[in-house]
Amino acid sequence: MKRLAWAGIVTKILLVIVCSVGGYLIAGQIQQLSTLTWAPWAGVGIGFSFALIAIWLVKFIRRIPLKVLIGGTLGLLMGLLIARLISYGLISVENTTIRVATYVVLVCIFGYVGMVLGSIKIEEMGWPSWSWLQRGGTKGGSLKILDTSVIIDGRIVDIVQAGFLEGVLVVPEFVLQELQHIADSADSSRRVRGRRGLDMLKKLQESDQTEVRIERQDFSNLQEVDAKLVALALRLNASIVTNDYNLSKVAEVQGIRVLNINQLANALRPVVLPGEVLRLHILKEGKEHGQGIAYLEDGTMVVVENAAKLLGQEVEASVTSILQTTGGRMIFTTLKSPEQNHRH
């Protein structure tokens, strides 16, 4: 990764040098400017500016899906062809200025219209069936679709920055719309969650570890966002990244690979074995009589028998059993020291 980063920096420096030197030489050879001593240095500035524009264009274009680039290019070529055909009707115009100006206007209009329509209408050309183009972007790996819950959750940012998630992260436009709707909610808690989701998405876009792609495909025949996510994953042959249990099960039934952040978090939790002694801080009473509740550093709930009267105290408890539920892991323990049972 570091070698590629250095190679990119060296390439950009070479591009700037070549463009600047080229601008210097070209400006110095133009007959009308050859008598001006400052002209070559103006050429250096122009060449330097073009190099910066090229670097910015690459940074901008790399975020555009390949299908949009292909569609936009084809549409642009068709627009230029139409403008060229229409321009043949201007041959009879004797005024050169009018003829050239009209041709330039036609090129701009039809080129722009063709490029925009081509990038949109490429979907109707059976894009998903082009298997040789389904692999995503410059960072390599498969496409991974993010749902609303996993963006708001925010842990996806840490996972990406740690380098454990490769490939292109796809954010559907209907997920963006849902985030915007939540961020604009009248309910303050929902509004905070929505804004957090938008902040997390911005951090993902700014990360150098992966590429984030906005997918504009929608399914007007479907109402639920989860149903649209499943349909999009099937169309793009992509995985779904989520922490929604129900969405995970629905996607898996349809043969879609699911990366559940909650399952990853559970897999990374420290192993606790029966008989192991834990030092715990009793925070509250449990549901059953006499039980105390404590939590490990990773948030795992620990039930301590006969510890309800020890609220606010630290105790040592021995693990008796571990229960894995859909909501996470629960650990059942008993007080290690018999005298703790009688402490008041």
Side-chain angles (χ1 to χ4, degrees):
M1 185 67 69
K2 290 184 178 179
R3 291 182 179 179
L4 289 176
W6 275 108
I9 293 173
V10 171
T11 302
K12 291 175 183 177
I13 293 174
L14 289 176
L15 176 64
V16 170
I17 293 174
V18 170
C19 290
S20 299
V21 173
Y24 180 89
L25 296 175
I26 293 173
Q29 295 299 316
I30 297 178
Q31 186 174 3
Q32 291 84 349
L33 300 177
S34 59
T35 57
L36 303 176
T37 57
W38 52 266
W41 300 109
V44 170
I46 295 174
F48 182 81
S49 299
F50 274 105
L52 293 182
I53 292 173
I55 293 172
W56 177 82
L57 283 175
V58 170
K59 186 177 181 180
F60 174 76
I61 292 175
R62 67 183 296 185
R63 297 182 180 275
I64 300 177
L66 180 59
K67 61 181 178 181
V68 175
L69 290 176
I70 293 175
T73 302
L74 292 175
L76 176 62
L77 293 175
M78 293 183 63
L80 295 179
L81 178 60
I82 294 174
R84 182 64 177 173
L85 293 175
I86 295 177
S87 68
Y88 285 126
L90 303 174
I91 297 177
S92 59
V93 179
E94 297 182 357
N95 190 309
T96 304
T97 303
I98 295 177
R99 187 168 64 249
V100 172
T102 304
Y103 177 68
V104 170
V105 170
L106 290 174
V107 166
C108 291
I109 292 175
F110 285 97
Y112 173 76
V113 172
M115 182 174 61
V116 173
L117 290 181
S119 62
I120 296 175
K121 295 297 183 178
I122 189 68
E123 299 292 351
E124 300 178 6
M125 297 178 63
W127 156 262
S129 64
W130 303 352
S131 58
W132 58 280
L133 287 175
Q134 283 185 0
R135 293 291 179 181
T138 57
K139 299 291 182 180
S142 59
L143 300 176
K144 296 176 177 64
I145 302 174
L146 305 184
D147 80 333
T148 310
S149 64
V150 84
I151 297 175
I152 294 175
D153 179 279
R155 288 177 291 178
I156 185 71
V157 176
D158 297 326
I159 295 173
V160 167
Q161 291 178 346
F164 285 101
L165 196 62
E166 64 176 6
V168 179
L169 302 182
V170 178
V171 180
E173 192 170 35
F174 53 80
V175 167
L176 272 178
Q177 293 173 354
E178 185 178 36
L179 279 174
Q180 182 65 49
H181 180 72
I182 296 174
D184 293 336
S185 173
D187 186 286
S188 59
S189 61
R190 282 176 56 84
R191 188 163 60 246
V192 169
R193 293 177 69 248
R195 291 175 180 175
R196 170 180 168 79
L198 294 174
D199 291 339
M200 293 300 105
L201 182 56
K202 184 178 180 181
K203 288 183 179 180
L204 283 175
Q205 290 179 317
E206 293 173 349
S207 174
D208 294 330
Q209 299 295 323
T210 189
E211 176 187 346
V212 177
R213 174 184 302 176
I214 304 299
E215 178 58 57
R216 307 196 182 281
Q217 292 191 59
D218 201 350
F219 301 86
S220 56
N221 59 318
L222 300 176
Q223 298 298 323
E224 297 293 330
V225 172
D226 286 0
K228 292 183 178 183
L229 285 167
V230 171
L232 182 61
L234 290 171
R235 176 173 291 185
L236 298 181
N237 190 28
S239 306
I240 294 179
V241 184
T242 183
N243 57 10
D244 187 317
Y245 177 80
N246 293 328
L247 174 59
S248 298
K249 292 304 178 184
V250 171
E252 288 173 354
V253 166
Q254 301 200 42
I256 299 171
R257 185 185 176 207
V258 177
L259 303 177
N260 192 308
I261 300 298
N262 287 337
Q263 290 180 353
L264 176 62
N266 290 334
L268 294 177
R269 286 178 175 173
V271 176
V272 179
L273 301 175
E276 186 173 346
V277 176
L278 304 176
R279 189 163 186 82
L280 305 167
H281 185 80
I282 306 301
L283 296 176
K284 61 181 181 179
E285 294 185 8
K287 291 183 178 180
E288 302 295 332
H289 178 70
Q291 289 180 342
I293 300 297
Y295 293 91
L296 299 182
E297 291 183 358
D298 62 2
T300 301
M301 187 172 74
V302 182
V303 179
V304 186
E305 299 293 339
N306 301 317
K309 56 188 176 183
L310 301 175
L311 293 180
Q313 299 183 33
E314 284 195 356
V315 302
E316 289 186 343
S318 178
V319 178
T320 57
S321 63
I322 302 169
L323 177 64
Q324 186 68 46
T325 67
T326 56
R329 187 175 53 162
M330 292 179 60
I331 300 176
F332 292 88
T333 64
T334 58
L335 293 174
K336 180 185 176 184
S337 304
E339 59 269 19
Q340 288 180 323
N341 293 322
H342 303 91
R343 187 180 303 170
H344 295 280

